[in-house]
Amino acid sequence: METKKMPREMTGAELKSMLKSSIDFKSLGGMKSPELTLPTEKKQWWRDAKIGMFVHWGLYSILGRGEWVRFNEKIPDEEYTRLAEQFTGKKCDMDEWTQLAVDMGAKYMVMVARHHDGFSLWDSPGSYQGFTTANTGAHRDFIKEYTEACRRKNLRVGIYYSNMDWRFPGYFDPKGKPESAQAMKRQAYNQVEELMSRYGKVDILWYDGSWLNHSGSDTTAAWLWEPVALNKMARQYNPELLINPRSGWEGDFYCDEGSHEISGKIIPVPWEKDMCLCSGTSWGWMADDPVSDLDWLIRMLADVITRDGNLLLNVAPDGQGAIPEKVKTRVRELGSWVRENAESIYGTRGGPVEPVDKVYGTTFRDNRIYLHIQDRNAFAGLTVPLTEYTVTGCTYRGQKVDYTQDAQGLRVRLPEGIKGEPDTIIRLETGRPVQIAEDAEIYFTGK
């Protein structure tokens, strides 16, 4: 009988050293459960999708000072709870939201169903004290509206859920107040089951907030949540559900959160860059939050896909569900660029050539390789170490481009007159299909 090869254990520090990368994966060292891990082919749609739209919207959006406002400003429970009557969602149009995702070029969405403040955006019988949009000012089930709107637009459905809840004293002292901690856990199990069982096929379960008392990590709190049992329950309803690593189980893909730039080599495991369209000061809406520069967003997308990742880009509606005009404008501008360059994005993989930070990277599909060039001056005269595949054609926007290839690699003479492009894309035809490398068998210990 053949012995199953076990994943090699690697520390987070070793990963950074090996790849010389700026990535910072969350929740390394999660519990192992081979029976939960999806096979590669079940993740293929997600790897092909490349772009998703994240939506952070909740009671905190009324105040517009970030999703942590209740905790940071120590707002009394009674005062914060009263805000729920103002949260009517009168300007929330899920068809508009999902159309904006389509306009962005997203193939999937992830919407916050409940953040750390405990306010649930659906009709949740399992909610502690019935703290939901169905029972307060809106009298609506926004998750039902969201999932149905996604399907009308052929978007894959992702749901964000925070296990933690600041309303439970047991969150802050789980060992000293075990009954409260267990009540919080029961709420999480009940609500995850509701979300997985009542809204049709869910494609992504995106956890957050499994750490305890704002210390440690999702992994160190796994003793309370028992994430393997939790996720087995979720998979009963959605057998092909993709799950991130933030529950304390190692997950199906890794997450790098925040607006820091990406550098280093191709990442040998499925991963996602999670960041805000605006400044990143807050995931939730803030009135004067500046929108990121379009060219910077394009370069970020190129940096992610050439390192074989996905980009999940967050937008934040205001307290009544309106997405700011400046955000919609930037989303559509980004989407216009994505549509123009779709061939080099969707359904591709990062490689086969390792990126050179801030200069170029590559994506490929079948017998085509796409050079994504960010700094044309730095690229001019470089030899791209492409020796394994013979280039048979080289074009820029359909026009032939001069090139030479020898034992050292490929040299491309860029057309004159290219101006102002944040990502100049050169298409290379190869004599045979580029091979897709298998995902590395690695277990990140988190040390």
Side-chain angles (χ1 to χ4, degrees):
M1 181 184 295
E2 184 179 353
T3 304
K4 180 174 173 57
K5 183 181 177 182
M6 297 302 293
R8 182 171 77 85
E9 294 198 357
M10 179 186 285
T11 67
E14 185 183 358
L15 173 73
K16 279 195 171 184
S17 175
M18 180 183 78
L19 300 177
K20 295 183 173 58
S21 175
S22 64
I23 67 160
D24 183 16
F25 286 154
K26 296 288 186 181
S27 301
L28 298 181
M31 294 181 68
K32 299 180 184 182
S33 179
E35 61 189 307
L36 272 177
T37 302
L38 286 180
T40 299
E41 61 270 19
K42 300 298 184 184
K43 304 178 190 179
Q44 192 60 49
W45 73 263
W46 180 84
R47 300 210 76 156
D48 288 345
K50 296 302 175 188
I51 303 169
M53 191 169 95
F54 215 172
V55 179
H56 275 69
W57 187 53
L59 199 51
Y60 46 84
S61 305
I62 293 284
L63 298 176
R65 298 194 293 276
E67 69 281 1
W68 279 63
V69 62
R70 177 177 188 162
F71 176 80
N72 288 342
E73 298 183 13
K74 297 180 172 55
I75 300 174
D77 287 353
E78 209 173 292
E79 179 183 339
Y80 192 80
T81 301
R82 281 200 300 270
L83 292 174
E85 294 306 318
Q86 299 178 40
F87 192 83
T88 62
K90 63 183 179 182
K91 294 184 180 179
C92 170
D93 180 345
M94 290 296 177
D95 282 318
E96 181 187 39
W97 291 14
T98 51
Q99 183 59 51
L100 194 64
V102 172
D103 293 346
M104 178 194 282
K107 300 298 184 182
Y108 62 99
M109 289 183 71
V110 178
M111 178 176 166
V112 172
R114 206 214 71 199
H115 211 271
H116 310 332
D117 60 0
F119 188 57
S120 300
L121 272 65
W122 75 100
D123 185 6
S124 173
S127 170
Y128 175 63
Q129 296 180 337
F131 194 37
T132 76
T133 54
N135 296 331
T136 53
H139 299 291
R140 290 166 67 179
D141 185 327
F142 290 108
I143 296 302
K144 182 175 187 294
E145 295 177 24
Y146 158 72
T147 54
E148 291 176 351
C150 278
R151 295 184 185 109
R152 286 194 291 271
K153 297 292 195 302
N154 295 315
L155 292 163
R156 294 276 191 158
V157 175
I159 293 178
Y160 165 113
Y161 181 80
S162 169
N163 286 353
M164 66 184 270
D165 188 330
W166 290 319
R167 298 175 301 156
F168 289 86
Y171 166 73
F172 297 98
D173 186 7
K175 296 293 178 79
K177 295 180 171 62
E179 290 183 4
S180 176
Q182 288 299 319
M184 179 176 64
K185 176 183 177 181
R186 283 194 299 274
Q187 175 184 249
Y189 273 67
N190 289 338
Q191 292 197 310
V192 168
E193 184 168 24
E194 291 167 11
L195 292 167
M196 295 301 103
S197 65
R198 294 170 50 181
Y199 299 102
K201 185 175 184 285
V202 177
D203 299 290
I204 302 168
L205 177 53
W206 213 102
Y207 287 107
D208 190 14
S210 296
W211 66 93
L212 296 170
N213 194 24
H214 296 164
S215 63
S217 69
D218 304 310
T219 301
T220 59
W223 65 269
L224 173 67
W225 302 112
E226 298 182 272
V228 171
L230 176 62
N231 289 312
K232 282 183 178 179
M233 179 267 289
R235 283 267 177 81
Q236 287 178 359
Y237 299 100
N238 294 275
E240 298 181 3
L241 180 73
L242 269 72
I243 303 172
N244 77 339
R246 303 300 304 277
S247 66
W249 169 58
E250 62 179 324
D252 294 305
F253 60 92
Y254 293 92
C255 298
D256 175 81
E257 294 180 31
S259 298
H260 54 275
E261 294 183 350
I262 292 294
S263 62
K265 296 183 180 180
I266 297 167
I267 308 300
V269 292
W271 72 284
E272 181 181 76
K273 174 68 169 177
D274 311 306
M275 56 172 279
C276 295
L277 184 83
C278 292
S279 70
T281 305
S282 164
W283 293 91
W285 174 78
M286 296 194 302
D288 299 318
D289 202 7
V291 175
S292 295
D293 177 75
L294 176 61
D295 285 2
W296 184 82
L297 288 169
I298 290 170
R299 287 192 292 270
M300 179 66 80
L301 174 60
D303 281 339
V304 169
I305 63 175
T306 57
R307 289 164 179 83
D308 211 17
N310 283 16
L311 178 65
L312 183 62
L313 195 57
N314 182 68
V315 301
D318 68 18
Q320 294 306 328
I323 297 175
E325 288 300 322
K326 61 182 181 180
V327 170
K328 291 192 285 189
T329 297
R330 183 66 81 242
V331 162
R332 289 169 180 146
E333 290 172 342
L334 177 61
S336 178
W337 185 89
V338 167
R339 283 190 297 277
E340 186 177 348
N341 298 283
E343 179 187 330
S344 67
I345 300 170
Y346 300 119
T348 65
R349 297 294 300 270
V353 180
E354 292 288 356
V356 175
D357 292 344
K358 298 184 181 300
V359 181
Y360 75 88
T362 55
T363 58
F364 71 90
R365 179 179 56 238
D366 299 325
N367 65 332
R368 288 178 178 171
I369 297 172
Y370 304 92
L371 270 169
H372 293 259
I373 303 167
Q374 295 185 12
D375 188 330
R376 293 181 296 280
N377 291 330
F379 180 82
L382 286 182
T383 297
V384 179
L386 180 64
T387 57
E388 188 177 353
Y389 299 94
T390 300
V391 174
T392 59
C394 181
T395 57
Y396 168 73
R397 299 185 183 276
Q399 302 298 312
K400 288 185 178 180
V401 173
D402 292 336
Y403 71 95
T404 59
Q405 188 177 25
D406 55 27
Q408 281 68 52
L410 178 77
R411 284 169 290 280
V412 176
R413 182 177 178 181
L414 294 178
E416 296 181 1
I418 300 174
K419 295 180 180 179
E421 288 185 340
D423 181 17
T424 297
I425 300 172
I426 303 294
R427 188 174 80 179
L428 308 173
E429 303 282 344
T430 57
R432 62 186 176 89
V434 180
Q435 279 193 309
I436 298 175
E438 291 186 7
D439 294 338
E441 291 289 327
I442 300 172
Y443 172 73
F444 294 111
T445 66
K447 297 176 183 176

